[in-house]
Amino acid sequence: AASTEPPAPAHRGALVALLLRALDVRREPPAGRCPAAAVDEVEAAAVQAFVTFSLQLTESSFVPVFTQVVEWAKARAADAPAARTRLGALFRLASSLADALRAVFVPLATPLLDLAAAALDPVSDPAPSKKKKKKKKSNAGAGVDPAAIVAELDTWRMRTHALSALRRLFVHDGGEALLDANRFNQLHPLVTRMLRAIPPSEGPDGEQPTPEAAEGEHMAPGGLASECVACVAAMIASAPDDALWKPAHRGVLLATREGVARTRLVALAALGAVVDKLQEEYLALLPEAIPFLSELFEDPDEAVEGAARAFTGRLTELSGEDLKSLMLGNDK
């Protein structure tokens, strides 16, 4: 059974070091072939152990411990592969700490904002994969550089956890301490950019990289798209001034004009999530949305067209106006 007594200060440093070593499992996996699922289980167990440990500390004891974890994640900043895995672990831990500590954790998590912004920034995109010369009768993925596959997967995972952590911070903050106008303007282009993200097409040894890579599974729970959709809505809802809604909302609308049907579906899901948060207050943003939705009524992809019509029907109920007729009239 887990102890309810906090660890003695003399043992605290050793325990933190042990937990950090476990969180580093992606950078230093066990020797030999280790399945990706097993590595993920170790990381998840390390996160849970760290949360349990943190709940036994006073706030004054927790702050230096969490600062140590942040510095640990930043220590490998010059080594891109190590930075991706450590930041991914940090964001995963932060998500669980936010779930456990809620508003208490928010003011302590300010250092995560710049790290999340850096993780979502295009500068952090992995280098394009270089094809290796294929041998005759090679497998379908034999021509792809294995290091490039790992880099793409680690970046996808890091960004998924970054969005997950940001979402929870926005939800538990409520616009009171974490976001000011400058911080909001820093983050909203980076977050809405992720609506356009396309999942890795290949995993190690030809395995399916993520559940959301399968056709029709773009909103798989816990995936990058579903976390991004929820993060966009939480971010807009927690903005310190409703004047900031418009630029973030426009970032979502512009994603509905992307050439990839998956992106347009994700963007429509984000619009729906924003309406869930704002309810009648969304009507102030509706005039700008109408031209975009009108275009989607004639989308070549049936799923996108159907999602646009369903979303417009919902807005019709919310506004009390016949928006479908208005949009069809604009198409003439």
Side-chain angles (χ1 to χ4, degrees):
S3 172
T4 58
E5 294 295 324
H11 304 301
R12 195 173 296 157
L15 180 55
V16 172
L18 178 65
L19 291 171
L20 289 178
R21 183 178 178 185
L23 285 173
D24 215 13
V25 65
R26 293 191 190 277
R27 189 180 70 86
E28 294 185 331
R33 182 174 174 81
C34 186
V39 171
D40 192 71
E41 287 178 7
V42 171
E43 186 181 79
V47 165
Q48 184 55 53
F50 213 115
V51 171
T52 302
F53 164 61
S54 299
L55 290 174
Q56 297 176 358
L57 301 176
T58 63
E59 182 175 333
S60 60
S61 298
F62 173 76
V63 171
V65 168
F66 186 66
T67 299
Q68 183 179 348
V69 181
V70 173
E71 292 305 314
W72 165 83
K74 293 162 57 178
R76 294 277 180 164
D79 180 357
R84 293 186 196 107
T85 58
R86 284 196 171 185
L87 285 173
L90 171 64
F91 296 139
R92 187 175 188 178
L93 172 62
S95 294
S96 293
L97 286 171
D99 283 340
L101 300 174
R102 296 180 169 272
V104 173
F105 180 65
V106 172
L108 308 177
T110 303
L112 296 177
L113 299 181
D114 285 330
L115 293 176
L120 300 177
D121 194 284
V123 173
S124 296
D125 290 351
S129 60
K130 297 180 180 180
K131 298 280 185 177
K132 291 184 175 182
K133 292 183 179 179
K134 295 183 180 181
K135 297 179 181 180
K136 291 183 179 180
K137 297 182 179 179
S138 62
N139 294 328
V144 181
D145 182 2
I149 293 176
V150 171
E152 196 174 4
L153 287 170
D154 285 345
T155 301
W156 188 263
R157 185 184 302 108
M158 172 186 69
R159 287 173 169 168
T160 300
H161 290 315
L163 291 166
S164 174
L166 286 176
R167 170 173 68 85
R168 287 164 166 82
L169 294 177
F170 296 152
V171 167
H172 298 310
D173 173 54
E176 296 177 4
L178 196 68
L179 284 180
D180 57 19
N182 289 334
R183 183 68 77 179
F184 186 90
N185 287 329
Q186 174 199 26
L187 291 173
H188 82 74
L190 300 172
V191 172
T192 56
R193 170 182 176 263
M194 289 293 102
L195 296 170
R196 299 170 170 82
I198 303 300
S201 58
E202 192 170 358
D205 301 321
E207 298 176 2
Q208 179 174 297
T210 63
E212 60 193 311
E215 185 175 355
E217 295 297 323
H218 53 280
M219 290 298 292
L224 188 146
S226 65
E227 288 294 348
C228 186
V229 162
C231 186
V232 166
M235 177 181 64
I236 290 176
S238 65
D241 185 342
D242 56 14
L244 297 170
W245 292 351
K246 189 172 182 179
H249 179 246
R250 183 162 183 81
V252 181
L253 292 175
L254 290 174
T256 68
R257 288 179 172 169
E258 287 291 308
V260 180
R262 170 198 166 90
T263 298
R264 300 196 296 277
L265 286 169
V266 172
L268 280 166
L271 289 173
V274 171
V275 171
D276 285 342
K277 289 288 187 180
L278 300 185
Q279 294 296 320
E280 288 81 3
E281 291 183 282
Y282 180 80
L283 298 179
L285 301 171
L286 180 57
E288 187 179 22
I290 286 177
F292 291 86
L293 294 173
S294 182
E295 292 173 10
L296 295 175
F297 269 38
E298 295 186 351
D299 197 277
D301 187 279
E302 290 183 4
V304 174
E305 180 188 346
R309 289 179 180 273
F311 178 62
T312 303
R314 183 178 173 196
L315 293 178
T316 295
E317 293 180 4
L318 190 66
S319 66
E321 299 180 17
D322 188 0
L323 299 179
K324 288 187 178 181
S325 296
L326 175 63
M327 291 177 191
L328 290 173
N330 286 343
D331 292 339
K332 295 179 181 179

